[in-house]
Amino acid sequence: MIRKTTKLRQLLDSQQLEFLMEAHNGLSARIVEETGFKGIWASGLSISAALGVRDNNEASWTQVLEVLEFMSDATSIPILLDGDTGYGNFNNVRRLVKKLEQRGIAGVCIEDKVFPKTNSFINGTAQPLADIDEFCGKIKAAKDAQLDEDFVVIARIEAFIAGWGLSEALKRAEAYHQAGANGILIHSSLRVPDEILAFKQEWGNRCPVVIVPTKYYTTPTQVFRDYQFSIAIWANQVCRAAITAMQQATKRIFTEENLLNIEEDIVPVSEVFRLQGALELQAAEKRYLPQN
Ligand code: SPV
Ligand code: MG
């Protein structure tokens, strides 16, 4: 059986554009897998939103770990954790990597900002960047901590988000690459892909480059292929779709005070059972429980 770490490494290193779909709990992770996606982005935004808190490290790293364990148990495709800034310094990062490996998480992405982080789309230019050397130490500590040689460490560059521009982004990318990162995630909050395309043009294929087209979503996917990006992450659409569906359904039931109209628009309870794997338990009961 191919390890999840190896699967993620193969996605990162493959010659074609690959996709990671966001998930934020066991249920959404399972849906993402059965839809056909080859990997999952465990989004900090979505996990914290699902927990009812802000994307500011309000959920502790061990609480995130608990969520990840459910996601990993529910799936066989690799999960890349959005590890924010690593939940502390190099020491926290290496302990994180150890715990992620124990729970079957295939890789972690850490971003070069400071703890506690703020989401990149909230006043990005006001956000301080991490010291380059300090961040390189985190990358090295992560790589030294991993026991599985295929565990993936992605270094996320926030230079564009913070308004520093291309030369700063390239300087950081080279430093993080030298420190041992398996790939670079270049993030941008523009509604056009200009920053990430300029970066890729200069960076070439020194190492795989990952993107998150949340804001420049109108860009045709073929452009990402033409520029030879490694992975595009659809980072929060499952969470947002769930919010839309939950808001619509609760509003209708609240207003109508009955279930007559909603019933046909939501999945039957049998679909919930199917997604939970109820059939497997029924078969196991036949095998393991005394039969009369
Ligand atoms: C996330 O999904 O939590 C991310 C991507 O880090 S973004 O929200 O675009 O910063
Ligand atoms: Mg995040």
Side-chain angles (χ1 to χ4, degrees), residues 58-73:
E58 290 186 340
S60 73
W61 75 277
T62 54
Q63 289 174 323
V64 173
L65 211 55
E66 294 288 315
V67 174
L68 289 169
E69 186 167 7
F70 281 102
M71 292 171 64
S72 180
D73 286 348

mmCIF file of all heavy atoms in Angstrom, residues 58-73:
data_model
loop_
_atom_site.group_PDB
_atom_site.id
_atom_site.type_symbol
_atom_site.label_atom_id
_atom_site.label_comp_id
_atom_site.label_asym_id
_atom_site.label_seq_id
_atom_site.Cartn_x
_atom_site.Cartn_y
_atom_site.Cartn_z
ATOM 1 N N GLU A 58 -7.057 30.703 17.556
ATOM 2 C CA GLU A 58 -7.892 30.591 18.760
ATOM 3 C C GLU A 58 -8.111 29.121 19.120
ATOM 4 O O GLU A 58 -8.216 28.778 20.295
ATOM 5 C CB GLU A 58 -9.218 31.318 18.553
ATOM 6 C CG GLU A 58 -9.029 32.831 18.509
ATOM 7 C CD GLU A 58 -10.339 33.596 18.440
ATOM 8 O OE1 GLU A 58 -11.375 33.024 18.054
ATOM 9 O OE2 GLU A 58 -10.303 34.802 18.755
ATOM 10 N N ALA A 59 -8.214 28.269 18.109
ATOM 11 C CA ALA A 59 -8.202 26.820 18.369
ATOM 12 C C ALA A 59 -6.747 26.437 18.617
ATOM 13 O O ALA A 59 -5.850 26.813 17.857
ATOM 14 C CB ALA A 59 -8.771 26.059 17.180
ATOM 15 N N SER A 60 -6.494 25.713 19.682
ATOM 16 C CA SER A 60 -5.111 25.321 19.984
ATOM 17 C C SER A 60 -4.643 24.277 18.973
ATOM 18 O O SER A 60 -5.451 23.639 18.301
ATOM 19 C CB SER A 60 -5.027 24.747 21.395
ATOM 20 O OG SER A 60 -5.619 23.458 21.420
ATOM 21 N N TRP A 61 -3.336 24.089 18.902
ATOM 22 C CA TRP A 61 -2.823 23.148 17.896
ATOM 23 C C TRP A 61 -3.248 21.726 18.205
ATOM 24 O O TRP A 61 -3.454 20.927 17.289
ATOM 25 C CB TRP A 61 -1.314 23.277 17.743
ATOM 26 C CG TRP A 61 -0.494 22.695 18.850
ATOM 27 C CD1 TRP A 61 -0.181 23.287 20.037
ATOM 28 C CD2 TRP A 61 0.132 21.405 18.870
ATOM 29 N NE1 TRP A 61 0.588 22.446 20.791
ATOM 30 C CE2 TRP A 61 0.807 21.287 20.101
ATOM 31 C CE3 TRP A 61 0.198 20.346 17.962
ATOM 32 C CZ2 TRP A 61 1.525 20.145 20.449
ATOM 33 C CZ3 TRP A 61 0.922 19.215 18.314
ATOM 34 C CH2 TRP A 61 1.570 19.122 19.540
ATOM 35 N N THR A 62 -3.435 21.394 19.476
ATOM 36 C CA THR A 62 -3.889 20.023 19.780
ATOM 37 C C THR A 62 -5.368 19.856 19.445
ATOM 38 O O THR A 62 -5.801 18.750 19.102
ATOM 39 C CB THR A 62 -3.630 19.652 21.251
ATOM 40 O OG1 THR A 62 -4.211 20.644 22.097
ATOM 41 C CG2 THR A 62 -2.151 19.542 21.539
ATOM 42 N N GLN A 63 -6.136 20.933 19.515
ATOM 43 C CA GLN A 63 -7.532 20.846 19.071
ATOM 44 C C GLN A 63 -7.593 20.629 17.556
ATOM 45 O O GLN A 63 -8.425 19.862 17.059
ATOM 46 C CB GLN A 63 -8.309 22.100 19.491
ATOM 47 C CG GLN A 63 -8.551 22.153 20.998
ATOM 48 C CD GLN A 63 -9.183 23.463 21.463
ATOM 49 O OE1 GLN A 63 -8.869 24.536 20.944
ATOM 50 N NE2 GLN A 63 -10.059 23.364 22.441
ATOM 51 N N VAL A 64 -6.710 21.294 16.828
ATOM 52 C CA VAL A 64 -6.619 21.062 15.380
ATOM 53 C C VAL A 64 -6.224 19.611 15.112
ATOM 54 O O VAL A 64 -6.763 18.945 14.226
ATOM 55 C CB VAL A 64 -5.614 22.043 14.740
ATOM 56 C CG1 VAL A 64 -5.379 21.698 13.269
ATOM 57 C CG2 VAL A 64 -6.106 23.482 14.875
ATOM 58 N N LEU A 65 -5.290 19.114 15.899
ATOM 59 C CA LEU A 65 -4.837 17.728 15.767
ATOM 60 C C LEU A 65 -5.984 16.735 15.940
ATOM 61 O O LEU A 65 -6.069 15.724 15.227
ATOM 62 C CB LEU A 65 -3.769 17.481 16.835
ATOM 63 C CG LEU A 65 -2.645 16.494 16.562
ATOM 64 C CD1 LEU A 65 -1.899 16.824 15.293
ATOM 65 C CD2 LEU A 65 -1.692 16.467 17.760
ATOM 66 N N GLU A 66 -6.862 17.026 16.881
ATOM 67 C CA GLU A 66 -8.025 16.155 17.102
ATOM 68 C C GLU A 66 -8.903 16.101 15.855
ATOM 69 O O GLU A 66 -9.369 15.044 15.445
ATOM 70 C CB GLU A 66 -8.869 16.673 18.277
ATOM 71 C CG GLU A 66 -8.181 16.616 19.627
ATOM 72 C CD GLU A 66 -8.050 15.186 20.137
ATOM 73 O OE1 GLU A 66 -9.038 14.446 20.055
ATOM 74 O OE2 GLU A 66 -6.951 14.823 20.582
ATOM 75 N N VAL A 67 -9.134 17.269 15.259
ATOM 76 C CA VAL A 67 -9.934 17.319 14.022
ATOM 77 C C VAL A 67 -9.237 16.518 12.921
ATOM 78 O O VAL A 67 -9.870 15.742 12.198
ATOM 79 C CB VAL A 67 -10.145 18.782 13.584
ATOM 80 C CG1 VAL A 67 -10.849 18.837 12.230
ATOM 81 C CG2 VAL A 67 -10.925 19.557 14.628
ATOM 82 N N LEU A 68 -7.931 16.711 12.810
ATOM 83 C CA LEU A 68 -7.164 16.024 11.762
ATOM 84 C C LEU A 68 -7.252 14.511 11.903
ATOM 85 O O LEU A 68 -7.288 13.780 10.917
ATOM 86 C CB LEU A 68 -5.691 16.436 11.831
ATOM 87 C CG LEU A 68 -5.382 17.854 11.383
ATOM 88 C CD1 LEU A 68 -3.957 18.207 11.767
ATOM 89 C CD2 LEU A 68 -5.577 17.994 9.885
ATOM 90 N N GLU A 69 -7.261 14.041 13.138
ATOM 91 C CA GLU A 69 -7.331 12.602 13.363
ATOM 92 C C GLU A 69 -8.634 12.035 12.792
ATOM 93 O O GLU A 69 -8.629 10.996 12.129
ATOM 94 C CB GLU A 69 -7.211 12.308 14.852
ATOM 95 C CG GLU A 69 -7.119 10.833 15.151
ATOM 96 C CD GLU A 69 -6.687 10.548 16.584
ATOM 97 O OE1 GLU A 69 -6.580 11.486 17.386
ATOM 98 O OE2 GLU A 69 -6.453 9.374 16.881
ATOM 99 N N PHE A 70 -9.735 12.738 13.003
ATOM 100 C CA PHE A 70 -11.009 12.294 12.418
ATOM 101 C C PHE A 70 -10.941 12.332 10.893
ATOM 102 O O PHE A 70 -11.434 11.433 10.203
ATOM 103 C CB PHE A 70 -12.173 13.150 12.923
ATOM 104 C CG PHE A 70 -12.634 12.778 14.314
ATOM 105 C CD1 PHE A 70 -12.274 13.533 15.408
ATOM 106 C CD2 PHE A 70 -13.418 11.648 14.505
ATOM 107 C CE1 PHE A 70 -12.688 13.177 16.692
ATOM 108 C CE2 PHE A 70 -13.841 11.288 15.785
ATOM 109 C CZ PHE A 70 -13.471 12.057 16.880
ATOM 110 N N MET A 71 -10.342 13.391 10.355
ATOM 111 C CA MET A 71 -10.247 13.518 8.896
ATOM 112 C C MET A 71 -9.404 12.396 8.305
ATOM 113 O O MET A 71 -9.752 11.803 7.283
ATOM 114 C CB MET A 71 -9.640 14.881 8.525
ATOM 115 C CG MET A 71 -10.551 16.056 8.849
ATOM 116 S SD MET A 71 -9.741 17.663 8.648
ATOM 117 C CE MET A 71 -9.398 17.664 6.882
ATOM 118 N N SER A 72 -8.308 12.100 8.960
ATOM 119 C CA SER A 72 -7.397 11.067 8.462
ATOM 120 C C SER A 72 -8.030 9.686 8.556
ATOM 121 O O SER A 72 -7.925 8.865 7.642
ATOM 122 C CB SER A 72 -6.090 11.119 9.250
ATOM 123 O OG SER A 72 -5.212 10.139 8.794
ATOM 124 N N ASP A 73 -8.716 9.426 9.673
ATOM 125 C CA ASP A 73 -9.373 8.128 9.843
ATOM 126 C C ASP A 73 -10.473 7.916 8.811
ATOM 127 O O ASP A 73 -10.782 6.786 8.436
ATOM 128 C CB ASP A 73 -9.976 8.017 11.245
ATOM 129 C CG ASP A 73 -8.918 7.805 12.317
ATOM 130 O OD1 ASP A 73 -7.753 7.522 11.959
ATOM 131 O OD2 ASP A 73 -9.249 7.929 13.508
#
